[in-house]
Amino acid sequence: MLPNRRREEATLFSPPISQRRPFHRKRCVWKACLKSIVLFALLFGGQVGSLRGETGEAAWLRYARLDKAASDNYRSLPAVVVALGDSELLTSARDEWIRGVQGMLERTPRIEHNVPKEPAVLLGTLASLRAALSSLQIPSGISGDGFWLSRQRIHDLDFIIVAGADDRGILYGTFALLSKISQQRNIARIDEVQQPSAPVRWVNQWDNLSGTIERGYAGPSIFFDSGNVRTDLTRAGEYARLLASVGINGCTINNVNADPKIIQSDFIPQIARIADAFRPWGVQLGIAVDVSGPKIIGGLDTFDPLDPRVAEWWKRTFDEIYREIPDFGGVVVKADSEGRLGPSAYGRTPADAANVIARAIEPHGGLVFYRAFVYDHHLDWRHLKNDRAKAAYDTFHPLDGKFDENVVIQIKYGPIDFQVREPVSPLLGGLERTNEAIELQVTQEYTGQQRHLCFLVPMWRESLDFDMGVNGADTPVKDLVSGKTFHRRMGGFVAVTNVGMDLDWLGHPLAMANLYGFGRLAWDSDLTSEKIAEEWTRLTFGNDPVVVKTITGMLLASWKIYESYTGPLGVGTLTDILGSHYGPGPGSSERNGWGQWHRADRNGIGMDRTVATGTGYIAQYPVNVEALYESLQTTPDELLLFFHHVAYTYVLHSGKTVIQHVYDLHYDGAERAQHLMEDWKSLAGRVDDERYSAVLARLEYQAGHAIVWRDAICDWFYSTSGIPDAKGRVGHHPGRIEAEAMQLRGYEPFDVTPPEAASGGKAIECPPAQRECFATFQFSGAAGLYELDVEYFDQENGESRFRVSIDEQLVDQWTASDHLPGTRPNADTSTRRRITPLTLRPGDRVQIEGLPDHGERAAIDYVEIRPTSAQR
Ligand code: GCV
């Protein structure tokens, strides 16, 4: 056992300032420590109030109490609320108003049922308001889910009007008004009409009936558990409320890799309960269906969409669904994709498959979202003309005009798969006589899985604003998908969201900005990223200008920061595409059929997609866009490697070579990830301690993992190109002591695969035969204050423990119990423990003791020691 003697200098040692278990809620060893930091801030900090701890569960609907000055501005708010009608939606709107006003202004509005002879907030449809107040001048142009908010003086009385074309509009208007108060906006003379950008504003959950979620990073499903719909659907209702508050009107609840069981007769009553939970919020229930259903569960010997028995089966199925769920919204279909069965089995087209379902659902008013994510994942990688990016356009463009009116083609924003940077999918401009919707991804599958901060609205903004130039006209993607350009009745926005049972919904309190942002963009596709980030911050963390400025700045910077250490020049997210899609794995893209190739060799990198010499993908764009990307000169640097294969020495518009740009960008990105953490720390005492500590833990982790990314990508580029970093950083790490170079007792060195997943390609592990292992080295620097990072591997298959001591005095200990995606020591599981500040003298013996647990062998990559920032 380690002695418990304290060193003389021990007063200078303090434990790390946050827990190193960003995703493990149950153990909060360091919480006490965090609390003391907040206490310190309370005692000595600037403007600090008493901040109640928050879990993040309320998301942007906190209705936090306004301070006196702010609430005085709303003193004249009418004391009465009237709902002109008694529908479920109207009741939700009225109750939401009461809840919001109670929370923010500590007043309880009084309910009346008719227009009173005193000031009131009136909630009603245009028709009911007209009937109740004949003198009311209602503006034109309010339709669908649109609403009108107005303050009117009628018969000398002050009324706030929340009017919707339909009941859903009233609910949306109520949320909008509450949001303004929450953001402390002036509503004294409010008079505005809001119309949604598009009729389709849906989210997709990828929940399995077992309760797991495909690409879900925030706990189990809120809908399903062990093969059934959960008994308690409170969270489902709360989710629908959140969705409604930003105007989302539909939600599919199960994985697009669909379990056919979801539409079995005995299961429909179960999903009907979810529809019941959604209904008060105007969110229509949808499901993902498997096109092979007629055969797999229907007892037919075929699922050929042109077989009349198949058509009849779909009809019967939807008749049954609508008997249980009269407002059922529709279905999403993934077919002929990633091993899913599809119409190609019978030589039929996606139009055949979509239409047979569409005709069965059409009499009930339902929609079919047919995903354009159709591609062959057994492509021959040796064939240089093969290109997965071409698949969606090649499949669907020839079918334009062949889909029924209630079919919407759901198209991922880029031609590959939710990468950190892709050009927009050419198919978005390739359908003129077919409804379409853009598919975005709130769940951060390739963008840090909610362990890294990556606010995606600026990326979506760029895609939506991209002018496709269809037929030579101005045709921004936002207008193509909304149906505006080609006068389509249907169309809009879909996002894969994958919230889970974690209290904060997405597992990272700041990740909810993406869900909010998606809803806001779907509602108003012209909103700027800045406005969305600021709104969300005010609603989620309050109106303290320092908080608003800091968090907004962090959000807006985060996508490019993430891109800069994970996927340069449009090459795609250089992650392990065969596994978790999380940590770096640049080598995994090649030599397989999945088609996420970057064609790197000794001389150069990038997919040649030109018409002249490459795969010809660029020809799928309208002429102006084709010209833009076909030429090396006009292709923007950030998409260079998506479109062109170039030498590492190719000089970018910036004047740098490709290789030096890659090195510089990764060092810069990792550094900026560190700054995100520092920015957040400046908010100590201004944000409640629970969310402060939760976010800090994640940002600390991100700062460490950004270095894992930086080193892996730089090492890989160096070993592939053989060109050294002109600034001498790559492969040289001052202050780093490789674990395999330490004095080992019990520990054994091993080769990490792929080699770039660990510093120097090696690490050490404590074999199962050992109960504990030791790695020791002597500090040889000057005496002073240091921070010491232990880079170790935290796998899912065990909870090993570590103790660090200096000259036999214990200075830190922890358990490796994060939830990182992997059961092997690699770049997914590599993580950092920072011990700071620490006094060290030349000759000090630093010892790390590792105690393995099950499959996790307390593996260590390296230790890095650097002077604390105060000393640097
Ligand atoms: C639901 C990516 C994901 C898959 C997902 C697929 C899709 O390939 O990795 O998990 O499957 O996209 O969008 O259908």
Side-chain angles (χ1 to χ4, degrees), residues 453-472:
L453 175 62
C454 189
F455 178 57
L456 291 162
V457 170
M459 177 173 90
W460 300 336
R461 187 63 281 145
E462 283 188 15
S463 298
L464 294 175
D465 288 339
F466 185 81
D467 183 4
M468 198 65 108
V470 183
N471 305 330

Side-chain angles (χ1 to χ4, degrees), residues 403-654:
F403 292 91
D404 282 13
E405 284 298 308
N406 62 329
V407 176
V408 178
I409 304 302
Q410 186 169 314
I411 307 166
K412 290 192 184 189
Y413 60 85
I416 299 289
D417 190 11
F418 300 137
Q419 301 300 289
V420 69
R421 168 94 58 178
E422 291 187 54
V424 297
S425 168
L427 184 60
L428 292 162
L431 299 175
E432 300 189 14
R433 287 166 297 132
T434 305
N435 302 322
E436 63 182 65
I438 193 168
E439 182 178 306
L440 307 172
Q441 200 184 37
V442 164
T443 197
Q444 296 170 228
E445 175 182 353
Y446 284 95
T447 50
Q449 302 187 353
Q450 287 114 263
R451 296 179 183 94
H452 292 235
L453 175 62
C454 189
F455 178 57
L456 291 162
V457 170
M459 177 173 90
W460 300 336
R461 187 63 281 145
E462 283 188 15
S463 298
L464 294 175
D465 288 339
F466 185 81
D467 183 4
M468 198 65 108
V470 183
N471 305 330
D474 277 358
T475 53
V477 166
K478 61 188 172 196
D479 292 346
L480 289 166
V481 300
S482 68
K484 194 167 151 194
T485 307
F486 295 115
H487 313 293
R488 307 293 316 165
R489 198 175 58 83
M490 268 303 143
F493 304 82
V494 179
V496 179
T497 41
N498 294 356
V499 302
M501 284 298 279
D502 277 10
L503 275 184
D504 61 12
W505 300 97
L506 282 172
H508 187 319
L510 303 186
M512 285 297 271
N514 284 324
L515 180 54
Y516 179 84
F518 166 71
R520 295 291 288 134
L521 276 181
W523 180 264
D524 180 352
S525 61
D526 289 326
L527 285 177
T528 64
S529 305
E530 291 74 12
K531 175 150 174 45
I532 292 173
E534 187 191 323
E535 280 180 12
W536 178 80
T537 305
R538 286 179 180 277
L539 296 171
T540 307
F541 287 102
N543 294 287
D544 173 347
V546 176
V547 172
V548 173
K549 186 161 182 270
T550 306
I551 299 181
T552 303
M554 290 170 65
L555 291 175
L556 293 172
S558 61
W559 165 49
K560 292 213 170 149
I561 292 177
Y562 187 79
E563 179 187 29
S564 65
Y565 59 80
T566 60
L569 301 171
V571 75
T573 316
L574 288 171
T575 186
D576 173 8
I577 67 128
L578 301 175
S580 62
H581 300 180
Y582 180 58
S588 67
S589 297
E590 298 300 310
R591 286 172 286 283
N592 59 59
W594 290 91
Q596 286 187 225
W597 308 318
H598 44 59
R599 303 284 192 213
D601 59 22
R602 187 82 184 160
N603 303 313
I605 184 167
M607 275 289 285
D608 182 355
R609 292 189 157 108
T610 60
V611 181
T613 55
T615 67
Y617 161 83
I618 293 175
Q620 295 185 341
Y621 289 103
V623 283
N624 288 348
V625 179
E626 177 184 336
L628 174 78
Y629 292 143
E630 180 74 8
S631 154
L632 257 177
Q633 276 65 49
T634 51
T635 302
D637 282 352
E638 67 264 17
L639 282 171
L640 178 74
L641 304 182
F642 187 90
F643 289 114
H644 300 277
H645 184 85
V646 296
Y648 295 106
T649 49
Y650 176 80
V651 179
L652 301 168
H653 293 114
S654 68

Side-chain angles (χ1 to χ4, degrees), residues 345-366:
Y346 300 94
R348 311 298 186 201
T349 68
D352 298 327
N355 291 344
V356 69
I357 303 175
R359 283 164 203 169
I361 206 173
E362 194 276 334
H364 307 282

Side-chain angles (χ1 to χ4, degrees), residues 36 40 62 116 149 176 251 290 354 397 438 442 456 513 539 563 620 635 652 665 681 747 757 759 813 816 819 841 863:
S36 47
F40 180 87
R62 294 159 62 240
L149 299 180
C251 172
D290 182 334
H397 174 67
I438 193 168
V442 164
L456 291 162
L539 296 171
E563 179 187 29
Q620 295 185 341
T635 302
L652 301 168
L665 193 69
K681 282 185 186 167
Y747 266 121
S759 187
Q813 57 183 326
H819 292 293
R841 298 164 304 193
V863 165

Side-chain angles (χ1 to χ4, degrees), residues 808-824:
E808 301 196 344
Q809 183 201 331
L810 180 68
V811 292
D812 194 15
Q813 57 183 326
W814 68 95
T815 304
S817 54
D818 282 357
H819 292 293
L820 300 173
T823 52
R824 290 188 307 117

